[in-house]
Amino acid sequence: MSPILAILVVAFFLYCVTISASDPDPIQDFCIPNPKFGSIKTAHLGSLPCKNSSEATTDDFVFSGMKGAGNFCDTGLAAISVNPAIFPGINTLGMSFVRADLKVGGYNPPHFHPRATEIAYVVQGSVYAGFVDSTNRVFARVIEQGEVIVFPRGLLHFLMNVGDKPATIFGSFNSQNPGLQKIPTAIFGSGIHEELLEKAFGLSHKQIGVMRRRFNPKSKG
């Protein structure tokens, strides 16, 4: 292969990687999924055809489901994730968002979003927040009401309420389907072979069983 051809191949590859690294650009002003062709909640995001733009209403572009906190889990976190499945107006616009509420001492464990960068705005409270880069360097501090932190795409990040009052955070993603993978659940709740986990983390069979029961209730390990 000639040097020029090799350069062109590499350039084309990098171009393809770049354009596939985010949601595709819309080809119309908006696309409200047409429920006549199936359920928005069960269909793959972006797979339903748009209804005629003349049938769109203002209500299609307004979402009222974030006025209060959602249901709290055992970590003291309540999260309301908003994507086109429940807010059709943002379909094909390359965005989604979340409301997260944290009880005092509550936390959102280390996790990452494989398809999106996140901007998190503290509505109220004091939150210890940060991320870890690919060199294992931690960027973290307490952020207060009115402050914003960015979590780069695909990097592990976390949140914990360190104040004496409940905290509320609004997060926004640059993808309508950012994805979510929580590290503890991915490791101990996914069925990875026990011997590997023992060697990787220096844990005993009993300790692995405890972790599996915690992060995968269906496991009897």
Side-chain angles (χ1 to χ4, degrees):
M1 181 182 295
S2 69
I4 295 179
L5 182 57
I7 292 173
L8 290 175
V9 169
V10 172
F12 175 76
F13 173 76
L14 292 176
Y15 172 74
C16 291
V17 169
T18 301
I19 63 175
S20 65
S22 60
D23 291 4
D25 289 334
I27 57 174
Q28 64 278 312
D29 291 341
F30 51 81
C31 173
I32 306 300
N34 193 332
K36 295 179 182 179
F37 293 91
S39 171
I40 296 175
K41 293 186 178 181
T42 57
H44 185 273
L45 296 178
S47 65
L48 290 178
C50 313
K51 67 181 181 181
N52 193 302
S53 59
S54 63
E55 298 176 1
T57 68
T58 301
D59 287 343
D60 287 325
F61 303 97
V62 177
F63 182 73
S64 303
M66 298 177 69
K67 295 180 179 179
N71 297 320
F72 285 91
C73 65
D74 57 3
T75 67
L77 167 71
I80 301 174
S81 298
V82 182
N83 56 46
I86 61 174
F87 186 13
I90 62 175
N91 186 45
T92 74
L93 300 185
M95 65 174 297
S96 55
F97 48 97
V98 63
R99 169 179 173 149
D101 291 89
L102 293 166
K103 294 180 179 180
V104 175
Y107 63 95
N108 193 357
H111 63 281
F112 66 93
H113 307 286
R115 294 181 290 275
T117 291
E118 178 181 4
I119 290 283
Y121 170 74
V122 179
V123 178
Q124 63 178 12
S126 299
V127 180
Y128 175 68
F131 65 90
V132 181
D133 72 5
S134 58
T135 67
N136 288 330
R137 182 181 177 188
V138 178
F139 296 83
R141 53 162 280 191
V142 174
I143 54 176
E144 308 282 354
Q145 178 177 333
E147 293 187 305
V148 174
I149 187 170
V150 61
F151 302 128
R153 174 187 172 189
L155 294 188
L156 179 150
H157 56 280
F158 46 83
L159 299 161
M160 182 172 66
N161 184 356
V162 294
D164 56 7
K165 297 179 180 179
T168 301
I169 303 100
F170 279 178
S172 179
F173 306 94
N174 65 340
S175 170
Q176 72 176 38
N177 187 20
L180 170 63
Q181 193 156 32
K182 294 188 176 182
I183 303 304
T185 304
I187 294 173
F188 297 105
S190 62
I192 296 175
H193 197 285
E194 183 175 308
E195 182 181 356
L196 188 149
L197 295 178
E198 291 177 359
K199 291 180 177 180
F201 297 100
L203 299 176
S204 67
H205 170 78
K206 183 178 180 179
Q207 291 171 323
I208 294 293
V210 170
M211 298 299 284
R212 280 185 163 169
R213 285 190 293 273
R214 177 177 179 182
F215 295 107
N216 182 10
K218 296 181 180 179
S219 173
K220 296 181 180 180

